[in-house]
Structures are given as structure tokens and as C-alpha cells.
Amino acid sequence: MGREQRLQQLKQMLQEREEPVSGAALARYLDVSRQAIVQDVALLKSRGEPVRTTPRGYRYDRSGGTPKRLIAVRHGTDEIGEELMAIVGMGAKVVDVLVEHQIYGELRGNIDVADREDVLRFLSLLEAGGNNPLLTLSGGVHLHTLEADSEETLDGVERRLDEMGILLHGQGRGDSE
């Protein structure tokens, strides 16, 4: 099978699945190396395909009409779990985290958590590798892209984060699509 055919199969496979697919599973299915999958995904992204890389694997982004909002928060590493659980508990999904770095500018990490199980998995990955979350680079200040089924849900999330004392004020509403 040639690369173009493999790219089409990879794209189709990701479009058909709701859940992320690991690179190892894709490599086995397409009978190529994990590195070939990394390169193929990079090619698909360069062609404008909305393939997202998440901690659980690759997924095709179907969020075109989903309400989104960028929120700014500030807290320590010990509050990550509480923050994420509050957001997903209100019915929203945390797409990513962004921090401003003095040298590199904006750094973004995909989180892709939508429920309690996702949050626990993310926290486990964070702790298992002894990794530092991005918020450590910015004194706890960071942004999240949130998605939800409605603007009202996003409003409720903002109110809850404000009650928790971690929402930064003055950023205005994010962009809704």
C-alpha cells in the first residue's frame, strides 16, 4: 500500500471513531511503524485535516458547531484535579491548556477530558511520569479552551470556577462557534 492510500485509510479510520485511537493501534492496523503514523498524522494536519493529538491517541475533530470558550484561570498544581472535575462535572469538555512562555510564546497542550474517567486518566499520566504541568511555567496562570453543548453550560462553568476562586476576571467571553 502506498502512502496516499494509507493516509486515506488513516483519515477514514479516525473519522469513523468517536474515541481517540492510539498510535500503536493505528500502526498495527495499517502494518507500519509508530513513527510512520506520527509522520502520516503530521502530513494530514499540514493538509488542513482536523486531526487532534490527545493523551489517549489521535482523533478527528468534529467540533465545528460546538460552542467554545477560552477561559483564564490561576491555581497551583494541587488544584488541577479539582478544577478539571468541576468543569466536566458541569457538562463541559476541556480541550487544551495554554500558557505564555517568555522565550517560546504560546505553548499549548492537548488535554481532551470530557468526564470523570478522562480526568482520572489524565491525572494518572501526569503523576506517573513525574511530569510538570504547563501551569508551572507561568506561575499558575493558564487558559483552557472549553467546549459544551450550550453557552449556558459554559456560563455555568465560569460561575463555578469563579466560586472556587480560580477564574481570572477581565478576559471577556471567548469565541463561540
Side-chain angles (χ1 to χ4, degrees), residues 56-95:
R56 294 186 298 153
Y58 301 104
R59 66 185 266 282
Y60 205 80
D61 190 358
R62 297 174 185 81
S63 63
T66 303
K68 293 182 184 182
R69 190 169 301 171
L70 191 64
I71 60 157
V73 292
R74 181 180 195 171
H75 60 77
T77 57
D78 57 329
E79 296 171 289
I80 293 172
E82 184 180 357
E83 172 204 33
L84 295 176
M85 287 294 193
I87 294 169
V88 301
M90 299 286 300
K93 175 181 180 178
V94 183
V95 176

Side-chain angles (χ1 to χ4, degrees), residues 108-138:
R108 178 185 308 257
N110 293 324
I111 295 180
D112 201 38
V113 296
D115 58 32
R116 187 181 191 306
E117 183 180 311
D118 289 346
V119 172
L120 294 174
R121 186 180 302 112
F122 175 79
L123 294 173
S124 176
L125 288 171
L126 195 59
E127 292 172 14
N131 299 302
N132 290 323
L134 286 178
L135 64 81
T136 61
L137 299 173
S138 59

Side-chain angles (χ1 to χ4, degrees), residues 93-111:
K93 175 181 180 178
V94 183
V95 176
D96 56 21
V97 59
L98 295 89
V99 297
E100 290 294 327
H101 190 271
Q102 291 178 345
I103 297 171
Y104 300 112
E106 183 180 280
L107 298 176
R108 178 185 308 257
N110 293 324
I111 295 180

